[in-house]
Amino acid sequence: MNLRNIRTRLSGRPLRSRTAVNNIDSHVTPVPKRRSWDNTAAPISYTFQEIHSPITCPYDRPVEAIREMEYPHMNNGVYLDHSGTTIYAQSTVERFAKKMSTSLLGNPHSANEPAKLSGDMVDDVRLKALRFLGADPRHFDLVFVANATAAIKLVADSFRDLAEQTRSGSFWYGYHRDAHTSIIGVRELANGEHKCFESDEEVDAWLDDPLDPSLDLNRRDQSGLGLFGYPGQSNLTGRRLPVSWTRRLRASKRGLLRNTYSLFDAAALAMTSPMEHVFGDPDAAPDFTCVSFYKIFGFPDLGGLVVRKDSGHILALRKYFGGGTVSLVSTIGSAWHMSKGLESTSNGGGGSDESNDHGNGGGGGGGGHGGGGLHEGLEDGTLPFHSILALGEAIEVHRELYGSMKNISRHTTQLVKRMYSDVSALRYRNGQPLCNIYNEEGEVYGDAQRQGATIAFNVFRADGTYESYAAVEKLANERGIYIRSGGVCNPGGVFTALKYEQWQLNRARSAGHHCGSNGLGVINELPTG
């Protein structure tokens, strides 16, 4: 549904028809005219660009045909919460259901034939997922987890455990202000040694000179154990952050940051961006990268942690072990265990290398298979092998429908540029803009290197005061438009976008505001989300 249809739904009344504008010259685009609808029945005067460059479809079939065939379940409204999860294709569910009804799959931790079928399938999908992400299995391993947050927690727990062996008993943690709540939460395991970088420039200054006293890093040992976490794309505004930081971290001045690893949150970025620029050069790639497959494909509900093999040994040192992650355990008389993760790294870390034996694919167990890689020491318990089966089908369907993530990027970049242009032009009759769009860098929409397909905004009333985000979402829901509102689990991004100071955040907390639809949307004429 186009933006004009969305506006019609929001107002609850039809818009007046408009006169078609002809192209005077196919090589020269005339200066766009603007028109304000004098619709006395509607509260808003719709002012927007009447001339646009056509949206180029990069797929083999028109978008309308793909939608009709694969997404009939989207006909009940306008779904715009793809950052929460995208919508799954019908073919994915049908193919998954067919395989489920025709295949006998067992627990990969067993040694029988159904178990072997599951284990081989898991290994095949692991390789397929790495290739989809542009990560060479010779240099990267993939750990299946419940979601991106579980991937982050796996890394955080490993660093907490290893930090107990340091003189200080802790590790240093730095994170960017645009980080998702799950990235921020790692700081609670750092025993107070953490730093929030409030701008890109501050990160650049740190990477240029880790000893810069003006940065106030709150770090006791600059060359000690550390972790730097940041998102590839803000899940609030869609702003894309520099991928080059991970390379610069590894090549820091005088090697001061040689023990500081990188945790890259790609959950938002991977939704609409190819990932070859992240994983193409293993020497520059992040040490640990979390992804959410359901944000890319809609189904299944599954996440992943992509581990750079040269860095994976640090995760193998974690304390906890679950079923399938150990090759031998002693319980009576003495307490010791043999970790499959440690065995893998000490033997060269085969991981998901296509040249290696598949192993058991399910994280070890009673099957008697050989060691398969780092993931076997990190995937606790029985893997969700049915969901992994569905992931394999989702990847194939996605490739058949869209060709590549480069095509997805081209298409969504065009769409968000059009959306930004039209939303920016919405006005009340008195000239007051309808929306305040939060965007730090000016006209970045249309530049996929700097901006994803996300628009963050608040709605003004006609007198210039803010409408509550909860009221906007309620109205949108009533009109069959599905958006996301509130703080969207990005507290630093909201704080920055709204130009909050610390006392204002404290005031909001004191007033009883909290995240979610039941929070206080506006306090003293300042929105809280």
Side-chain angles (χ1 to χ4, degrees):
M1 182 173 289
N2 61 32
L3 185 61
R4 193 161 184 253
N5 297 135
I6 294 174
R7 285 192 296 261
T8 303
R9 281 179 178 263
L10 278 172
S11 67
R13 304 176 179 88
L15 295 177
R16 293 183 176 181
S17 61
R18 59 177 179 174
T19 305
V21 178
N22 296 316
N23 230 340
I24 299 173
D25 189 309
S26 61
H27 300 286
V28 179
T29 303
V31 177
K33 297 179 180 179
R34 294 181 179 268
R35 174 176 300 173
S36 295
W37 264 259
D38 185 20
N39 189 343
T40 56
I44 298 171
S45 179
Y46 300 104
T47 304
F48 61 93
Q49 299 268 142
E50 288 193 334
I51 296 178
H52 285 293
S53 299
I55 298 291
T56 303
C57 177
Y59 316 125
D60 291 339
R61 285 179 285 173
V63 172
E64 292 77 10
I66 295 175
R67 174 165 178 148
E68 181 178 358
M69 179 177 296
E70 294 289 347
Y71 303 97
H73 41 303
M74 291 181 67
N75 291 335
N76 295 326
V78 181
Y79 185 84
L80 298 175
D81 187 21
H82 292 271
S83 62
T85 182
T86 196
I87 303 301
Y88 53 84
Q90 186 167 271
S91 291
T92 297
V93 178
E94 291 173 348
R95 294 186 191 183
F96 170 61
K98 182 176 181 179
K99 284 203 171 181
M100 286 291 291
S101 61
T102 57
S103 304
L104 180 59
L105 298 173
N107 188 319
H109 289 177
S110 298
N112 54 55
E113 283 303 311
K116 185 178 184 302
L117 180 63
S118 294
D120 290 344
M121 175 273 296
V122 168
D123 286 327
D124 289 341
V125 174
R126 194 187 308 275
L127 292 173
K128 184 181 292 186
L130 283 169
R131 288 194 292 267
F132 176 85
L133 295 170
D136 188 338
R138 293 174 300 175
H139 301 289
F140 298 94
D141 200 355
L142 174 62
V143 180
F144 286 118
V145 291
N147 47 43
T149 295
I152 293 166
K153 189 174 185 299
L154 175 58
V155 174
D157 288 345
S158 299
F159 272 75
R160 176 201 57 199
D161 292 348
L162 186 58
E164 292 180 3
Q165 303 174 33
T166 66
R167 285 193 177 92
S168 65
S170 65
F171 69 97
W172 176 84
Y173 181 59
Y175 59 95
H176 192 278
R177 64 123 202 271
D178 279 340
H180 187 278
T181 298
S182 298
I183 286 283
I184 298 171
V186 178
R187 73 185 186 193
E188 299 305 308
L189 304 184
N191 290 332
E193 279 195 69
H194 53 80
K195 159 74 175 177
C196 176
F197 291 94
E198 297 183 20
S199 67
D200 293 1
E201 292 74 21
E202 200 171 12
V203 175
D204 288 331
W206 168 59
L207 294 173
D208 286 340
D209 184 4
L211 298 178
D212 185 346
S214 67
L215 294 176
D216 190 20
L217 294 172
N218 189 28
R219 186 173 192 175
R220 298 172 214 171
D221 183 0
Q222 302 301 325
S223 60
L225 182 63
L227 182 65
F228 172 53
Y230 77 100
Q233 175 180 312
S234 166
N235 67 298
L236 174 69
T237 65
R239 186 176 78 91
R240 289 181 172 169
L241 284 72
V243 176
S244 60
W245 284 344
T246 59
R247 173 187 55 78
R248 294 174 60 193
L249 179 64
R250 197 165 292 126
S252 64
K253 182 191 292 186
R254 298 194 295 271
L256 285 173
L257 300 178
R258 62 184 176 276
N259 293 320
T260 300
Y261 293 75
S262 54
L263 172 57
F264 188 72
D265 178 6
L269 178 67
M271 290 190 300
T272 58
S273 172
M275 297 294 287
E276 287 85 354
H277 68 298
V278 175
F279 300 116
D281 180 0
D283 292 331
D287 296 305
F288 317 110
T289 302
C290 63
V291 295
S292 293
F293 290 116
Y294 57 87
K295 292 181 184 289
I296 304 173
F297 307 112
F299 176 78
D301 303 336
L302 194 65
L305 177 66
V306 181
V307 181
R308 181 175 172 269
K309 285 185 179 179
D310 283 349
S311 310
H313 52 272
I314 200 166
L315 301 184
L317 295 170
R318 67 175 186 148
K319 288 184 174 181
Y320 178 80
F321 60 89
T325 65
V326 288
S327 54
L328 200 60
V329 180
S330 170
T331 57
I332 299 175
S334 61
W336 55 266
H337 68 278
M338 293 172 59
S339 165
K340 288 185 177 180
L342 277 177
E343 289 177 0
S344 167
T345 56
S346 63
N347 292 330
S352 299
D353 192 335
E354 291 169 285
S355 65
N356 285 354
D357 219 7
H358 277 328
N360 71 356
H369 299 282
L374 176 67
H375 60 267
E376 289 198 354
L378 298 174
E379 292 171 338
D380 297 311
T382 300
L383 279 170
F385 53 95
H386 296 130
S387 294
I388 294 171
L389 172 66
L391 175 62
E393 299 307 309
I395 293 172
E396 286 300 318
V397 169
H398 190 278
R399 180 185 57 79
E400 293 170 13
L401 292 177
Y402 304 113
S404 69
M405 286 302 296
K406 290 181 180 178
N407 289 339
I408 294 284
S409 178
R410 293 188 193 102
H411 188 212
T412 55
T413 297
Q414 293 179 80
L415 291 174
V416 76
K417 183 178 181 180
R418 170 79 62 87
M419 188 77 168
Y420 172 74
S421 174
D422 284 355
V423 171
S424 299
L426 292 172
R427 299 286 187 276
Y428 288 93
R429 291 193 199 90
N430 63 4
Q432 165 66 39
L434 177 66
C435 297
N436 181 10
I437 297 177
Y438 298 104
N439 176 22
E440 298 176 47
E441 302 183 23
E443 297 291 335
V444 295
Y445 294 95
D447 182 352
Q449 289 188 335
R450 296 194 294 162
Q451 180 65 41
T454 301
I455 292 179
F457 65 95
N458 264 309
V459 172
F460 289 116
R461 301 187 186 99
D463 62 0
T465 58
Y466 284 102
E467 184 58 80
S468 162
Y469 61 78
V472 173
E473 184 168 26
K474 181 175 182 295
L475 176 61
N477 271 329
E478 291 172 354
R479 299 291 187 259
I481 302 173
Y482 309 122
I483 59 176
R484 171 171 284 204
S485 72
V488 299
C489 292
N490 195 310
V494 170
F495 188 96
T496 302
L498 300 177
K499 296 181 171 58
Y500 263 59
E501 294 184 16
Q502 187 61 48
W503 69 269
Q504 291 170 309
L505 186 62
N506 291 337
R507 178 180 65 183
R509 179 176 62 176
S510 178
H513 174 63
H514 53 81
C515 296
S517 59
N518 294 324
L520 303 176
V522 179
I523 298 177
N524 283 27
E525 303 302 331
L526 185 66
T528 59

